């Protein structure tokens, strides 16, 4: 378990001095208020952004394919999933710990102990999400049966999605003793 130092009612720092959050659904329920609806909306926003990017990428590859007599078209089925993986990996693993859709909705991804996830964890979360999403409906049932509203891929990778502490009004914060 990571050693953390308290720097505020919700904010913590781990042993390396990195930002961490004390993620306790009983002590800080405001971290999870409305999280399922926000996760869904963030998902829709991210998919819309990626759909636009995919259309643009496809147009680029159509032109490249014409210039290379069809050779570039073979790369499109490889480049498109890599773009999607990169989008989630580099945004979840970034200092904001959130995709653009998540930032817009005021939520972020944290590790189970409150630290910000690294790029590898962002990539694994994305891969496990899409693998579990494409194989089972159970993914969508998990959040309804736990206080932190964690999905199956959150459990498997060791992450949790919370309301960004900066988006929580100060008067809504529960101060622990």
């Amino acid at each position: 378990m990571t050693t953390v130092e308290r720097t505020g009612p919700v904010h913590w720092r781990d042993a390396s001095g990195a930002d961490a959050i004390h993620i306790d659904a009983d002590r800080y329920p405001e971290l999870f208020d409305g999280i399922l609806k926000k996760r869904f909306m963030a998902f829709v926003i991210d998919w819309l952004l990626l759909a636009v990017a995919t259309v643009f990428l496809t147009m680029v590859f159509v032109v490249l394919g014409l210039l290379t007599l069809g050779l570039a078209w073979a790369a499109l089925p490889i480049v498109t999933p890599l773009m999607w993986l990169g989008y989630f990996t580099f945004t979840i693993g970034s200092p904001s710990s959130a995709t653009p859709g998540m930032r817009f909705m005021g939520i972020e991804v944290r590790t189970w102990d409150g630290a910000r996830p690294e790029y590898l964890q962002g990539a694994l979360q994305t891969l496990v999400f899409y693998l579990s999403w494409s194989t089972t409906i159970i993914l969508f049932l998990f959040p309804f049966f736990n206080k932190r509203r964690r999905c199956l891929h959150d459990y498997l990778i060791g992450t949790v999605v919370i309301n960004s502490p900066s988006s929580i009004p100060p008067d809504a914060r529960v101060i622990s003793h």
Side-chain angles (χ1 to χ4, degrees):
M1 183 170 182
T2 306
T3 304
V4 293
E5 168 191 345
R6 184 174 178 193
T7 60
V10 176
H11 290 280
W12 297 68
R13 299 234 182 262
D14 66 16
S16 68
D19 182 34
I21 300 291
H22 184 71
I23 302 177
D24 183 340
D26 291 325
R27 292 173 90 184
Y28 303 107
E30 68 275 10
L31 290 175
F32 304 96
D33 287 343
I35 202 73
L36 289 180
K37 182 170 62 172
K38 291 177 182 179
R39 281 186 86 161
F40 177 76
M41 291 306 299
F43 177 77
V44 170
I45 292 167
D46 289 327
W47 268 61
L48 288 173
L49 291 172
L50 281 164
V52 170
T54 301
V55 168
F56 178 75
L57 183 68
T58 302
M59 292 186 319
V60 168
F61 270 85
V62 165
V63 172
L64 288 175
L66 292 173
L67 295 174
T68 63
L69 302 175
L71 291 175
W73 292 333
L76 186 61
I78 297 167
V79 174
T80 302
L82 287 176
M83 177 185 69
W84 282 60
L85 177 63
Y87 175 89
F88 289 105
T89 298
F90 292 113
T91 56
I92 291 172
S94 73
S96 67
S97 303
T99 64
M102 290 174 169
R103 284 195 304 268
F104 182 78
M105 294 307 301
I107 60 177
E108 60 189 59
V109 177
R110 292 298 180 120
T111 60
W112 65 272
D113 61 350
R116 294 188 183 277
E118 296 180 1
Y119 293 114
L120 178 60
Q121 203 163 18
L124 288 173
Q125 182 180 26
T126 303
L127 290 172
V128 171
F129 169 75
Y130 282 107
L131 289 174
S132 62
W133 183 65
S134 63
T135 59
T136 180
I137 192 75
I138 294 173
L139 170 79
F140 299 108
L141 298 178
F142 264 70
F144 295 105
F145 299 102
N146 63 83
K147 290 180 184 179
R148 293 182 180 180
R149 302 296 184 226
R150 293 173 75 190
C151 294
L152 176 61
H153 62 283
D154 295 326
Y155 278 102
L156 295 173
I157 303 302
T159 58
V160 62
V161 177
I162 61 170
N163 287 312
S164 298
S166 60
S167 71
I168 300 171
D171 60 336
R173 290 196 175 146
V174 174
I175 308 293
S176 66
H177 303 306

